[in-house]
Amino acid sequence: MSIQIFGLSVSRGVAIGRAVRLGAGRLEVEHAFVTEADVPGELLRLRVARDEISAEITALRDDLPPDAPAELGALLEVHQMLLHDQVLIEAVKVWVRERHYNAEWALASQLDVLTQQFDEMDDPYLRERKMDLEQVVDRLVRRVRAGREVPPGAAPAPVDPVAAVQGAEPGEELILVAHDIGPADMMHFRRSVFRGFVTDVGGKTSHTAIVARSMDIPAVVGATEASALIRSDDLLVIDGDAGVVIVDPSPIVLEEYRYRQQHSRLDRDRLLRLRGTAAQTLDGVDISLHANIELPGDAATALAAGAAGIGLFRSEFLFMQRAGSLPGEEEQFQAYRSVCEAMGERPVTIRTIDIGADKPLERGSTDSRADRGLNPAMGLRAIRWSLAEPTMFLTQLRALLRASAHGRLRILVPMLMHVREALQVRQYLTQAQNELRAAGIPFDEAVPLGIMVEVPAAAIALDVLLPHADFVSIGTNDLIQYTLAVDRADEQVSDLYDPWHPAVLHLLQRTIALTHRAGKTASICGELAGDPQLTDLLLAMGLRQFSMHPSRLLPIKQQILRADCGKLEQALPDILSSSDPQATAQSLWRGATPLH
């Protein structure tokens, strides 16, 4: 029976595919397709792993001392039965043969199916056997994974996830369904086989939503109970425009969405024609469109999309998924240099590490205080964390300065709001410069240092901060969150997260105006920069530099090409003085045409 699950629209478009559930206590496995030629090797790994574990269980049972508890022997018998259970093993083989999943993924998928069946059992004893099943499958996954690490010739060659996905035979697209997906997980899935995301929790600017938009794939977050209602392998339709997930759609509905999916692809093809067009308004105002990136390799994507520079390189992603170890100076330098060299004469703005809030370091790092606070969003994060860790901060500053000799690098400081913080940053920057001079290492002596305006205090006190900054970048995601006291990742208050709120608009307009009056550049690197529904408003405020994910550059360029800054600016006073700015903007700029 077809059902609809409603959530928040965070990344537009249509995705159609089979569900892959990611439970809260999931097994950490590689999600990789294998080719038809690799199927026998995957099945062999599965059989070898099962036989080895079975032999170990038999040996343990035979070696039990006479006084061992009877329950222990019974437990081993249960594990042996589960290990050879045909419902488990044969179904896993089907996942491999028909879906071309690698063995670990096939095991995890079948475990998900069986655990749901256990949860629905009336008998408490049978329900508790779910834990035994999870233990058996976990051992199998670990053994299969270990089987990929044996010397060549002793077993089939390991699967390269990226190569496997690229070389896999065509099949149905897949949609990831989870309670939540953390930033580290999202980075892992960026190059995965998934073509859409559905989560129980999250808001429009939660990290899951941001990365889904950056991947330019449809996503719905805040779809409460989605992971409980959706089963593995259910056919799903994600309507990213309406924020709806349709489970097992009827043939008529499915055909309608396939048509919409094709129409969306045609629209994207038309946008590609704008790639070489200058971003200039109808009245001749030049606009600079920059790209936000997370990893050095993303620079190529930015260039392909026609970016005029990198407006935000989120350096913290170099520090994540490292099992507690931090990147050293040389590793950071190579990463920053590669981006500078890839961008040539185009400017590259690199933000110092912004750890904390929704991007904590993994437990076990050299200092995990950044994610220990009662309220991480307001605790030791961003520049506060860097200033509390001067050794780490100096290492990053030296790496950034060294890379500045290889391009037009600019350093951006996140969440700065006190003059004393600005002075401390300058002091550490001077120290890093002196250390490099003493070592005879070249760097840009005039490397620009900018501040991110992310909290209302910084926007209100900007006139006292500007003398200490060479440029300003507005982080609208946090600025809206802190101004409205709305957790941007909480779907329960997502309707209150409103970029059109008069307080937000006044802070944006004030920040842009004060920065320009000081003869410095202002840009926006938050999600607002990539939202075509707000482009006219930002142009009216005088914004001339936008930074967004590469996938948003062409839609924003299209909006800019249709705009007339002079006419837009004339309407700004009425919009800013309105109790309903969005409705006023609709009326003045687009007549009866809705913005949403």
Side-chain angles (χ1 to χ4, degrees):
M1 183 181 71
S2 178
I3 62 171
Q4 292 185 347
I5 304 172
F6 295 89
L8 300 174
S9 169
V10 296
S11 186
R12 300 189 168 198
V14 172
I16 302 171
R18 295 287 174 181
V20 175
R21 293 177 72 257
L22 212 61
R26 67 186 184 276
L27 294 171
E28 297 292 342
V29 301
E30 293 278 14
H31 294 78
F33 283 130
V34 296
T35 64
E36 184 68 35
D38 291 326
V39 167
E42 292 302 292
L43 297 178
L44 175 59
R45 286 188 187 89
L46 183 65
R47 185 171 69 250
V48 169
R50 183 193 62 183
D51 292 346
E52 289 178 352
I53 295 172
S54 177
E56 290 172 2
I57 292 175
T58 299
L60 283 172
R61 185 189 57 201
D62 293 345
D63 292 341
L64 284 176
D67 57 347
E71 293 81 4
L72 184 56
L75 177 63
L76 292 174
E77 287 291 344
V78 169
H79 280 214
Q80 190 73 278
M81 288 171 54
L82 290 171
L83 191 64
H84 291 277
D85 183 78
Q86 292 305 298
V87 176
L88 172 64
I89 297 301
E90 291 305 317
V92 170
K93 291 179 180 178
V94 171
W95 288 108
V96 176
R97 291 192 188 107
E98 297 184 5
R99 296 285 182 188
H100 286 190
Y101 289 4
N102 64 324
E104 297 97 316
W105 187 5
L107 282 162
S109 297
Q110 186 58 19
L111 173 64
D112 186 70
V113 171
L114 294 176
T115 53
Q116 286 186 78
Q117 295 175 4
F118 272 98
D119 288 339
E120 294 168 1
M121 291 178 179
D122 294 326
D123 190 322
Y125 173 80
L126 292 176
R127 282 203 308 269
E128 289 175 3
R129 300 284 67 77
K130 179 178 75 171
M131 185 176 297
D132 296 320
L133 177 65
E134 289 172 344
Q135 291 171 352
V136 168
V137 173
D138 181 61
R139 288 188 69 181
L140 277 168
V141 166
R142 293 175 187 277
R143 191 58 59 93
V144 170
R145 186 181 295 145
R148 299 190 189 281
E149 300 169 0
V150 297
V159 171
D160 178 343
V162 176
V165 171
Q166 292 173 342
E169 296 176 1
E172 282 189 295
E173 294 184 343
L174 303 173
I175 294 172
L176 188 67
V177 180
H179 176 70
D180 193 17
I181 308 172
D185 285 334
M186 287 301 296
M187 294 306 294
H188 170 72
F189 291 129
R190 286 174 85 224
R191 300 183 65 188
S192 71
V193 296
F194 300 111
R195 296 296 175 262
F197 294 98
V198 181
T199 62
D200 297 339
V201 301
K204 289 196 173 185
T205 55
S206 63
H207 200 79
T208 302
I210 292 171
V211 176
R213 279 193 292 273
S214 76
M215 295 167 67
D216 199 23
I217 61 174
V220 173
V221 303
T224 310
E225 302 300 320
S227 64
L229 295 172
I230 297 172
R231 296 175 177 272
S232 288
D233 218 38
D234 277 348
L235 181 61
L236 304 181
V237 170
I238 295 181
D239 184 339
D241 299 308
V244 177
V245 181
I246 303 172
V247 185
D248 290 330
S250 67
I252 294 176
V253 170
L254 187 61
E255 187 60 31
E256 177 188 345
Y257 275 102
R258 291 199 189 281
Y259 172 79
R260 285 180 54 183
Q261 196 176 43
Q262 181 62 27
H263 185 70
S264 177
R265 292 192 183 108
L266 292 174
D267 285 342
R268 293 185 185 190
D269 290 342
R270 282 192 288 268
L271 276 177
L272 289 175
R273 300 172 188 171
L274 302 178
R275 192 160 42 191
T277 304
Q280 188 179 80
T281 64
L282 292 173
D283 54 340
V285 178
D286 291 322
I287 307 299
S288 187
L289 297 181
H290 292 198
N292 296 344
I293 65 172
E294 280 95 26
L295 296 171
D298 296 338
T301 305
L303 286 170
I310 300 298
L312 176 64
F313 177 3
R314 299 180 174 98
S315 68
E316 57 270 14
F317 285 96
L318 297 176
F319 292 70
M320 299 175 73
Q321 288 188 305
R322 300 181 60 92
S325 65
L326 300 182
E329 180 180 328
E330 186 63 25
E331 181 181 345
Q332 290 188 59
F333 162 64
Q334 295 294 344
Y336 306 146
R337 184 182 72 171
S338 68
V339 175
C340 288
E341 291 178 341
M343 299 305 295
E345 292 300 313
R346 299 173 179 85
V348 174
T349 303
I350 302 180
R351 182 175 67 186
T352 60
I353 183 171
D354 185 8
I355 284 297
D358 63 347
K359 290 172 290 186
L361 287 180
E362 288 86 348
R363 296 290 180 178
S365 63
T366 55
D367 191 335
S368 58
R369 290 179 294 167
D371 59 345
R372 285 210 302 252
L374 294 175
N375 190 340
M378 296 186 181
L380 190 64
R381 58 164 297 196
I383 191 57
R384 301 170 182 177
W385 190 75
S386 293
L387 293 176
E389 290 294 317
T391 301
M392 182 282 302
F393 192 38
L394 280 167
T395 297
Q396 182 170 37
L397 289 176
R398 284 194 302 269
L400 288 166
L401 287 170
R402 289 172 59 190
S404 71
H406 300 270
R408 294 177 57 194
L409 186 144
R410 309 193 309 169
I411 300 174
L412 181 61
V413 181
M415 208 176 173
L416 190 146
M417 60 184 228
H418 282 289
V419 170
R420 68 170 180 269
E421 291 173 332
L423 294 173
Q424 283 181 281
V425 170
R426 286 284 183 186
Q427 185 178 16
Y428 283 122
L429 184 62
T430 299
Q431 182 178 339
Q433 290 172 330
N434 289 337
E435 291 173 0
L436 293 181
R437 284 193 200 98
I441 298 174
F443 62 91
D444 180 3
E445 293 279 357
V447 62
L449 181 67
I451 61 172
M452 283 193 78
V453 173
E454 298 178 271
V455 294
I460 295 168
L462 188 60
D463 51 347
V464 299
L465 294 173
L466 277 171
H468 306 279
D470 299 312
F471 65 95
V472 168
S473 184
I474 308 171
T476 51
N477 301 345
D478 275 336
L479 183 62
I480 298 171
Q481 170 176 250
Y482 292 127
T483 301
L484 303 181
V486 173
D487 184 347
R488 59 192 178 99
D490 187 348
E491 74 281 1
Q492 298 179 82
V493 293
S494 61
D495 59 318
L496 299 176
Y497 188 93
D498 181 15
W500 286 93
H501 191 286
V504 173
L505 300 189
H506 281 285
L507 289 177
L508 286 174
Q509 196 273 337
R510 170 185 170 80
T511 301
I512 294 168
L514 282 177
T515 304
H516 289 170
R517 198 177 302 156
K520 298 174 181 180
T521 60
S523 68
I524 286 182
C525 61
E527 290 297 291
L528 261 64
D531 187 346
Q533 297 166 353
L534 288 149
T535 303
D536 285 352
L537 177 69
L538 297 176
L539 290 173
M541 289 181 174
L543 190 72
R544 299 296 180 258
Q545 184 171 307
F546 296 65
S547 188
M548 66 208 73
H549 189 273
S551 66
R552 306 305 304 153
L553 284 167
L554 294 180
I556 297 302
K557 183 182 285 188
Q558 178 176 256
Q559 196 72 14
I560 288 168
L561 294 172
R562 298 170 175 173
D564 185 315
C565 286
K567 293 180 180 178
L568 294 174
E569 289 167 3
Q570 291 175 16
L572 185 62
D574 289 335
I575 295 171
L576 293 179
S577 62
S578 172
S579 60
D580 189 346
Q582 186 174 12
T584 302
Q586 274 185 211
S587 174
L588 294 174
W589 289 339
R590 286 180 173 76
T593 303
L595 289 177
H596 294 286

